[in-house]
Amino acid sequence: MTGATEASNPKMEANVVVLGTESVGKSALTVRLLTRRFIGEYGDIESIYSHSFMSEGKEITLNIWDSPFSEDLSRETSLFHKKVQWADGFVLVYSICDRASFNTASRLIQNIRSTKHHHGAEKPPVVIVGNKRDLHHRRTVLAEEGQLLALSTDCLFYEVSAAENYHGVLSAFHGLMDRIKDTKLTSKRPLRFKGIVKSMSAVFARRRTDSL
Ligand SMILES: Nc1nc2c(ncn2[C@@H]2O[C@H](COP(=O)(O)OP(=O)(O)OP(=O)(O)O)[C@@H](O)[C@H]2O)c(=O)[nH]1
């Protein structure tokens, strides 16, 4: 995107995929961002949501794809592969009380990095989010381990509680958006949100809860 194009177009959209193993709080984080609320139970929802906010006089829209975890990370036909092609950035969630979810987050970063993108971006921005910070008495992953993983993989890192703190969640998503903005300014990737959401809905039979 050139400076002239950017000046004449005060709106910007980006696609974000939320990833992580079962029950780490992917839906809780997404719903917190969208509604500011924590509702406790979320079900297995596969959906793309949209969240708009103003940043430096620009309207930014995040299209957020939240889905249950799938082990199928390899084949080109897999849902994981489709997500990587669709995404401008990732929110990679683990639970600070679940060591296995942290190990999987680390593996997911390697998989994201090693999947070739159609649009040529070498390193899509990733924010690593250690969730359930309110359960610190059950912690099995130190904050320093999350920080170290982020440093070694050039990711952002936040520890948050979807249950107790809206602002931490907001910072994590907005921090990712800032990184995506930087990437898009140097990328030739066209923005094509509406068409993609339509086709994704058709392919994956999008479901939404009425309560959102
Ligand atoms: N204490 C606490 N519980 C949380 C937090 N975030 C989510 N939970 C709980 O963790 C459970 C799983 O949350 P979900 O948001 O459904 O997790 P998910 O990663 O979307 O799960 P799947 O869709 O099954 O992959 C629910 O019982 C939530 O209430 C948090 O920050 N603190």
Side-chain angles (χ1 to χ4, degrees):
M1 189 187 296
T2 66
T5 313
E6 200 190 354
S8 61
N9 178 15
K11 292 188 179 182
M12 190 169 168
E13 291 176 358
N15 299 336
V16 170
V17 171
V18 184
L19 290 176
T21 52
E22 257 178 33
S23 298
V24 292
K26 298 182 294 295
S27 300
L29 288 163
T30 306
V31 171
R32 213 9 155 173
L33 178 77
L34 295 167
T35 68
R36 294 184 175 231
R37 287 184 297 155
F38 179 74
I39 56 176
E41 294 307 324
Y42 300 89
D44 286 340
I45 306 164
E46 172 101 35
S47 196
I48 297 171
Y49 305 96
S50 146
H51 163 72
S52 297
F53 61 98
M54 294 300 292
S55 169
E56 296 166 1
K58 233 180 193 321
E59 187 185 330
I60 313 268
T61 300
L62 289 183
N63 309 305
I64 304 167
W65 187 352
D66 170 37
S67 60
F69 179 65
S70 155
E71 282 289 347
D72 185 7
L73 304 180
S74 51
R75 286 177 298 119
E76 292 220 343
T77 51
S78 73
L79 195 52
F80 176 77
H81 194 267
K82 288 189 174 76
K83 286 175 181 171
V84 175
Q85 298 310 322
W86 183 79
D88 296 305
F90 295 87
V91 177
L92 212 46
V93 188
Y94 68 90
S95 161
I96 68 156
C97 319
D98 178 355
R99 162 72 44 186
S101 73
F102 180 71
N103 295 339
T104 301
S106 171
R107 195 159 53 91
L108 281 167
I109 295 172
Q110 308 311 326
N111 281 310
I112 290 167
R113 295 281 197 245
S114 63
T115 302
K116 200 163 168 45
H117 289 237
H118 293 317
H119 51 90
E122 287 300 318
K123 270 191 180 184
V126 176
V127 57
I128 300 169
V129 176
N131 188 34
K132 308 198 184 185
R133 194 180 188 183
D134 54 294
L135 301 179
H136 48 86
H137 49 285
R138 287 171 42 194
R139 181 191 282 277
T140 56
V141 184
L142 296 173
E144 290 74 13
E145 293 179 86
Q147 271 157 359
L148 216 72
L149 177 62
L151 263 176
S152 64
T153 52
D154 192 23
C155 297
L156 294 166
F157 173 70
Y158 292 83
E159 253 197 15
V160 306
S161 164
E164 292 194 346
N165 192 313
Y166 165 70
H167 290 286
V169 176
L170 191 69
S171 300
F173 277 91
H174 287 194
L176 176 65
M177 189 60 216
D178 286 342
R179 279 259 176 126
I180 293 174
K181 262 199 284 185
D182 295 345
T183 312
K184 276 189 181 286
L185 289 175
T186 54
S187 149
K188 296 193 182 83
R189 186 186 185 200
L191 299 173
R192 51 203 163 87
F193 158 58
K194 283 195 174 118
I196 284 182
V197 168
K198 271 191 194 148
S199 59
M200 300 298 278
S201 305
V203 173
F204 301 111
R206 182 175 65 153
R207 283 179 285 144
R208 270 184 193 251
T209 56
D210 290 333
S211 57
L212 294 179

